[in-house]
C-alpha cells in the first residue's frame, strides 16, 4: 500500500492534532489546514506544513493540493457543540455542510481519490434501540447531527458519480489525550464530561454539575460510550489504509467500545484517585 500525502482539515484541533500525530508516527506525509477558531498551532510538530484558513476557501485548498501533492483528505474541520447548533443553526449548516461541499468539490476537481469524514453518532438522534449499530435509522434531532448527515449523503452521492471513495466515521464520546503528552483537549469552555471533571479535580473549577438524575439507568445518570482519542484516530488511519487498498469500497462505521459508563460512574472513578471527592 502506498502512503499518499494526507491533508488533515481542522488538524490543529483536539481530534485533528491527535490524527496528525498518529499519521506521522505511522510514516505518512501530512499537511494541515485550520482556521484556528478553536485549534492551536502549538499542538502540531513545527515541521508539519500548516495553512491557516477555511476549507471553503477554494483558492487556498487548490493551492494546498498542488503544493503538497495531496492524495487523501481526513476532514475534521467544523463546529461540534450541540446546544450551540440549536441556537445558531445556520452557522452549523455553513460551517459543516456548505464548507464540506466546497472541500468535496475541490477534491473531485483535483482528482483526490480518498476522503475520510469525521461524522457523529448524533446522526441517529434518539435511537430506536441500544446498542446502536450502523443500520439504526438516521433521525437527527439537532442541526449538528443534521449537518453531518447531509455531508454523509453528499459523500455517498459523490462516490457514486466520481472516482473517489470515502469513510464516514460516526463518533460517540471522545475523551483522553496523547499518552506521550504531545496533544490534548486544550480548548476553553469545554462541555466534555471527562475534561470538565478533571478540571474540577485539579481546582480549575470549584465544582461539577450533574444534569439529570432520573434516566432509566442503574444510578439515574446519563450513560455514554467513551472512546479514547488515541484509539479513535488509530481507526482513522486504518480506515484510510482500507480506502487505498479497496478503492471500490466505501466505509460507514461507528467508532465506540460498545459499552457505556454513566456520569456518576465516571465521577466516582475519578474520586477514587483523589484525596477527597470532588464537590458536586
Amino acid at each position: 500500500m502506498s502512503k499518499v500525502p494526507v491533508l488533515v482539515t481542522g488538524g490543529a484541533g483536539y481530534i485533528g492534532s491527535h490524527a496528525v500525530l498518529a499519521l506521522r508516527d505511522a510514516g505518512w506525509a501530512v499537511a494541515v489546514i485550520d482556521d484556528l477558531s478553536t485549534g492551536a498551532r502549538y499542538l502540531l510538530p513545527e515541521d508539519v506544513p500548516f495553512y491557516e484558513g477555511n476549507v471553503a476557501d477554494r483558492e487556498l485548498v487548490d493551492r494546498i493540493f498542488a503544493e503538497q501533492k495531496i492524495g487523501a483528505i481526513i476532514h475534521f474541520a467544523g463546529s461540534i457543540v450541540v446546544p450551540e447548533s440549536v441556537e445558531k443553526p445556520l452557522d452549523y449548516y455553513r460551517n459543516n455542510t456548505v464548507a464540506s461541499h466546497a472541500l468535496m468539490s475541490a477534491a473531485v476537481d483535483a482528482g483526490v481519490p480518498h476522503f475520510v469524514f469525521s461524522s457523529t453518532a448524533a446522526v441517529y438522534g434518539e435511537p430506536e434501540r441500544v446498542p446502536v449499530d450502523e443500520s439504526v435509522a438516521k433521525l437527527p434531532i439537532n442541526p449538528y447531527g443534521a449537518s453531518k448527515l447531509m455531508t454523509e449523503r453528499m459523500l455517498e452521492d459523490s462516490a457514486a458519480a466520481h472516482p473517489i471513495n470515502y469513510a464516514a466515521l460516526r463518533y460517540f464520546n471522545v475523551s483522553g489525550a496523547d499518552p506521550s503528552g504531545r496533544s490534548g483537549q486544550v480548548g476553553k469552555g469545554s462541555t466534555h464530561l471527562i475534561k470538565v471533571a478533571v478540571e474540577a479535580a485539579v481546582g480549575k473549577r470549584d465544582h461539577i454539575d450533574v444534569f439529570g438524575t432520573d434516566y432509566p439507568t442503574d444510578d439515574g445518570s446519563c450513560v455514554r460510550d467513551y472512546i479514547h482519542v488515541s484509539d479513535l484516530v488509530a481507526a482513522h488511519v486504518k480506515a484510510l489504509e482500507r480506502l487505498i487498498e479497496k478503492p471500490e469500497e466505501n466505509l460507514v462505521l461507528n467508532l465506540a467500545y460498545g459499552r457505556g459508563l454513566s456520569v456518576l460512574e465516571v465521577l466516582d472513578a475519578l474520586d477514587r484517585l483523589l484525596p477527597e471527592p470532588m464537590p458536586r
Side-chain angles (χ1 to χ4, degrees), residues 167-244:
L169 305 180
R170 297 169 180 161
Y171 310 169
F172 284 70
N173 293 69
V174 188
S175 62
D178 175 58
S180 299
R182 296 172 295 175
S183 187
Q185 191 175 8
V186 300
K188 295 181 180 179
S190 174
T191 58
H192 294 71
L193 171 63
I194 292 177
K195 183 171 189 289
V196 169
V198 171
E199 287 179 347
V202 299
K204 290 187 175 182
R205 297 174 183 255
D206 58 10
H207 72 288
I208 184 166
D209 294 310
V210 176
F211 299 102
T213 56
D214 58 354
Y215 287 89
T217 60
D218 290 343
D219 60 23
S221 65
C222 185
V223 171
R224 292 288 183 264
D225 190 324
Y226 297 93
I227 179 171
H228 195 280
V229 66
S230 294
D231 292 336
L232 185 89
V233 296
H236 286 69
V237 178
K238 291 291 187 183
L240 177 57
E241 292 173 349
R242 179 72 176 186
L243 294 183
I244 293 172

Side-chain angles (χ1 to χ4, degrees), residues 40-126:
R41 175 68 179 88
Y42 68 83
L43 294 177
L44 300 171
E46 291 184 1
D47 61 342
V48 169
F50 177 79
Y51 297 82
E52 184 174 351
N54 193 289
V55 297
D57 183 340
R58 180 60 181 268
E59 183 177 351
L60 175 59
V61 170
D62 285 345
R63 178 160 66 86
I64 297 169
F65 287 166
E67 290 179 355
Q68 303 299 328
K69 297 179 172 55
I70 296 300
I73 298 167
I74 302 184
H75 180 34
F76 296 103
S79 301
I80 62 170
V81 181
V82 170
E84 183 183 59
S85 80
V86 177
E87 296 169 2
K88 302 176 181 178
L90 295 180
D91 288 357
Y92 272 67
Y93 290 118
R94 180 189 64 231
N95 295 343
N96 293 351
T97 309
V98 177
S100 295
H101 174 277
L103 179 64
M104 272 185 257
S105 297
V108 167
D109 290 347
V112 177
H114 311 296
F115 198 112
V116 179
F117 175 52
S118 165
S119 191
T120 172
V123 301
Y124 297 112
E126 296 176 348

